[in-house]
Amino acid sequence: ALLEGGEGIKTKSVNEYYRVRNGDNLGRIASKNGVSVAQLKSWNGLKNDNISVGKNIIVKKNVEVIEPDPTEQYLASIDAPDDITTQPKEDLMLNVTEIIEINTSPIILE
């Protein structure tokens, strides 16, 4: 979804930690947090369903974040070199005509 100004709402996964309590098992923890047992095992590098009381395990949560408009980020990242000066448009045109040496004489076809 896009917000005013080009920002977008994106869903990102972030790590949250759950401290295992007495009587907990992966099924109960997964159910409480809306994830699967397989996900808990994968995120925590578990080979089986055994968990220890007091251990912190990763429980990923999806959060919505607002990301700025990438165009604005790009434009903000462009810095003009210090030696560039701005000139009025008339001065620039004068410089261009001096360089090109415009020929204004009529063309005669024979």
Side-chain angles (χ1 to χ4, degrees), residues 62-106:
N62 289 329
V63 295
E64 288 186 339
V65 294
I66 298 174
E67 292 193 344
D69 181 350
T71 305
E72 289 179 15
Q73 285 181 317
Y74 173 74
L75 293 175
S77 70
I78 300 174
D79 289 328
D82 294 335
D83 59 344
I84 290 181
T85 59
T86 57
Q87 296 180 350
K89 186 166 65 172
E90 295 78 22
D91 290 348
L92 290 174
M93 286 303 294
L94 178 62
N95 291 341
V96 169
T97 56
E98 287 173 356
I99 294 169
I100 296 176
E101 296 181 16
I102 299 173
N103 183 353
T104 57
S105 56

Side-chain angles (χ1 to χ4, degrees), residues 24-42:
D24 277 339
N25 61 51
L26 289 180
R28 183 175 296 138
I29 296 168
S31 178
K32 276 180 164 177
N33 291 283
V35 298
S36 71
V37 170
Q39 287 173 311
L40 288 177
K41 288 169 79 171
S42 171

Side-chain angles (χ1 to χ4, degrees), residues 35-65:
V35 298
S36 71
V37 170
Q39 287 173 311
L40 288 177
K41 288 169 79 171
S42 171
W43 297 333
N44 292 281
L46 301 173
K47 306 253 187 267
N48 54 47
D49 291 353
N50 296 335
I51 52 175
S52 304
V53 172
K55 177 178 169 72
N56 284 325
I57 62 171
I58 295 170
V59 179
K60 293 192 183 275
K61 297 284 184 179
N62 289 329
V63 295
E64 288 186 339
V65 294

